[in-house]
Amino acid sequence: MNRESGCISINTENIFPIIKKWLYSEKDIFIRELVSNSSDAISKLKKLVSIGEAQIDGSEKYYIKVVVDKEKKTLKIIDNGIGMTEEEVKKYINQIAFSGIRDFVEKYKDKTDEGQIIGHFGLGFYSAFMVSSKVQIDTLSYRKDAQAVRWVSTSGIEYEMEDSDRTERGTTITLYIAEDSEEFLEPYKVRETLVKYFSFLPYDVYFEDANAVKDDKKEEGENKEEKADEPRPINDTNPLWLKNPKDCTEQEYKDFYRKVFFDFNDPLFWIHLNMDYPFNLKGILYFPKLRNEMDNFEGQIKLFCNQVFVADNIKEVIPEFLMLLKGTIDCPDLPLNVSRSFLQNDGYVNKISSHITKKVADKLTSIFENERENYNKYWMI
């Protein structure tokens, strides 16, 4: 393609100050948005493969890799998902009034499940400009004979496009981190954020410190020894709440509790939520053991949307009187706003909250009626 430059088509004059100042509640959410987009890109490709619209090597593993390079002041998010053509970049990046996911679902509405694709290129992608002085996209579509494309913008308004040297299907987004956001060049900060949002993402997420890799290679050269350790993903792609309760052991429930909440006192009991209709809801709620009357009664309910962490202790979903519980709740159908952080007012949310409350009440009633001695012990300090 010939080199091209222009201005991005937007409908709101001051959209970028809005994104940077208040659209997102926390600065690190740009990582959640970009990695979520990578996950969506893989989900799209998997769906196309399953319906025969795309072909890939059957032994290929899907992955997302995040690479921080403090020396170059860059942060890269890399995936081997669906990728984009030149036309798709122009439509979904340059014209952010359009929604790529809507077009995708409309085209394959009889063959795919909209609820399984939670994000799209658009406003989520533009969260990158919260922390970047320049953003670069290198992408290669899954389509046969596609040409890799490079898109670069230093302002979020003007852009340049040209051919890219990317040779593998998928997308790399390179953020040139601005001076006021250099905390996201610290490996511990990036890794901490990835663990926060993506501990249970359905695709392997790898973290790499480019400078540490350079040091390792230098050390290997000096010692003439090669390290055999394979990189390991930072996440568990199949969390316990996705399993059928009948297939889960007592030890697995306890181990999951310790892993997620760092509480090494066994919970008193738990409730495994597993519902597909009339809404999709899965999760595990634990009743923590209070050791003495001075223990803090505040629990922690982690809310997920398609295995992406959204927030803790959302009172619209979990009534305040149940906040002493600890647990994880995954509900792909939650009506989140564009930042994926806040629930919109919706009767649907009330139904979810009522269902959770009923399940807890039923469990307590069952223990009271059938295990009275244990029930009494639960409330004894």
Side-chain angles (χ1 to χ4, degrees):
M1 65 178 288
N2 295 324
R3 188 165 186 166
E4 174 185 321
S5 61
C7 290
I8 296 163
S9 172
I10 59 176
N11 287 344
T12 305
E13 183 179 356
N14 296 318
I15 196 167
F16 294 106
I18 288 172
I19 289 174
K20 193 157 188 174
K21 296 297 183 183
W22 60 263
L23 180 61
Y24 293 93
S25 57
E26 297 180 43
K27 199 172 185 180
D28 66 10
I29 281 180
F30 80 93
I31 293 180
R32 185 185 72 184
E33 291 300 297
L34 296 179
V35 175
S36 292
N37 281 342
S38 290
S39 177
D40 297 336
I42 294 173
S43 293
K44 289 180 181 180
L45 181 62
K46 283 188 66 178
K47 186 60 64 174
L48 293 180
V49 170
S50 71
I51 63 177
E53 293 280 342
Q55 288 78 40
I56 66 169
D57 183 346
S59 63
E60 184 177 355
K61 292 184 178 180
Y62 296 111
Y63 70 87
I64 299 166
K65 183 163 66 172
V66 178
V67 182
V68 62
D69 191 324
K70 192 171 183 178
E71 290 182 5
K72 294 181 179 179
K73 296 187 175 182
T74 61
L75 182 66
K76 293 185 178 183
I77 295 92
I78 306 163
D79 68 67
N80 62 345
I82 197 170
M84 289 184 287
T85 63
E86 177 186 348
E87 291 73 21
E88 288 167 337
V89 172
K90 289 179 179 179
K91 185 172 184 179
Y92 302 144
I93 303 300
N94 295 347
Q95 301 180 56
I96 65 174
F98 287 84
S99 170
I101 187 60
R102 289 199 190 105
D103 285 358
F104 181 85
V105 171
E106 179 64 25
K107 183 174 180 181
Y108 297 103
K109 61 184 178 182
D110 297 325
K111 302 176 181 178
T112 189
D113 178 3
E114 182 178 5
Q116 295 305 310
I117 305 170
I118 63 173
H120 55 83
F121 281 100
L123 286 176
F125 163 71
Y126 274 91
S127 65
F129 288 94
M130 293 170 64
V131 298
S132 306
S133 58
K134 181 171 83 170
V135 177
Q136 177 175 314
I137 302 173
D138 289 275
T139 185
L140 178 60
S141 172
Y142 76 96
R143 300 177 187 277
K144 186 178 181 181
D145 301 324
Q147 170 61 48
V149 181
R150 174 168 294 162
W151 179 96
V152 181
S153 178
T154 56
S155 64
I157 300 295
E158 297 177 344
Y159 70 89
E160 292 187 352
M161 285 179 63
E162 59 184 342
D163 289 341
S164 170
D165 56 1
R166 184 181 176 101
T167 58
E168 296 181 358
R169 182 203 68 246
T171 299
T172 298
I173 297 177
T174 304
L175 310 183
Y176 293 81
I177 301 298
E179 288 186 6
D180 64 355
S181 301
E182 289 188 351
E183 67 265 31
F184 293 104
L185 292 174
E186 298 295 340
Y188 79 89
K189 175 68 174 178
V190 178
R191 184 182 179 87
E192 179 184 77
T193 304
L194 290 172
V195 170
K196 172 183 174 181
Y197 289 115
F198 302 110
S199 286
F200 303 106
L201 199 71
Y203 308 112
D204 286 341
V205 179
Y206 296 92
F207 172 70
E208 182 178 302
D209 177 355
N211 300 134
V213 170
K214 292 173 186 175
D215 292 341
D216 287 346
K217 288 183 177 179
K218 182 178 179 181
E219 182 181 330
E220 287 172 11
E222 292 172 352
N223 298 327
K224 295 183 180 181
E225 294 180 0
E226 292 188 4
K227 296 185 178 181
D229 293 344
E230 290 291 330
R232 295 181 180 180
I234 59 99
N235 57 317
D236 174 4
T237 60
N238 190 34
L240 192 64
W241 73 72
L242 293 181
K243 294 184 179 181
N244 189 311
K246 295 179 181 178
D247 298 329
C248 301
T249 67
E250 179 177 331
Q251 191 59 48
E252 284 179 319
Y253 282 118
K254 291 179 179 179
D255 289 345
F256 185 75
Y257 178 76
R258 295 188 188 103
K259 174 183 176 182
V260 176
F261 301 104
F262 304 103
D263 186 344
F264 293 92
N265 292 298
D266 287 342
L268 296 174
F269 53 92
W270 49 86
I271 301 170
H272 195 143
L273 305 168
N274 189 7
M275 189 172 185
D276 295 319
Y277 182 83
F279 44 78
N280 190 341
L281 173 67
K282 299 183 187 302
I284 305 173
L285 296 178
Y286 291 93
F287 281 67
K289 183 175 183 179
L290 301 178
R291 288 162 296 182
N292 57 64
E293 60 185 9
M294 301 302 294
D295 267 2
N296 190 341
F297 277 72
E298 184 178 355
Q300 184 182 29
I301 306 292
K302 292 178 173 289
L303 180 64
F304 292 79
C305 184
N306 278 328
Q307 297 173 237
V308 176
F309 174 71
V310 175
D312 285 319
N313 296 351
I314 299 292
K315 66 176 186 281
E316 292 91 343
V317 177
I318 302 293
E320 288 191 44
F321 66 86
L322 290 181
M323 286 300 184
L324 64 91
L325 305 181
K326 295 182 180 181
T328 57
I329 298 230
D330 192 342
C331 189
D333 304 325
L334 284 174
L336 303 174
N337 69 6
V338 70
S339 74
R340 306 189 196 192
S341 297
F342 305 103
L343 288 168
Q344 300 168 351
N345 292 326
D346 192 286
Y348 186 81
V349 176
N350 293 331
K351 292 179 181 178
I352 293 173
S353 179
S354 296
H355 175 75
I356 292 172
T357 302
K358 184 177 185 303
K359 295 294 288 187
V360 173
D362 289 347
K363 179 69 173 182
L364 288 174
T365 300
S366 174
I367 295 174
F368 177 80
E369 293 177 347
N370 302 307
E371 303 175 46
R372 180 68 63 87
E373 186 176 344
N374 285 333
Y375 180 89
N376 291 335
K377 289 179 181 178
Y378 293 154
W379 313 111
M380 298 292 289
I381 300 296

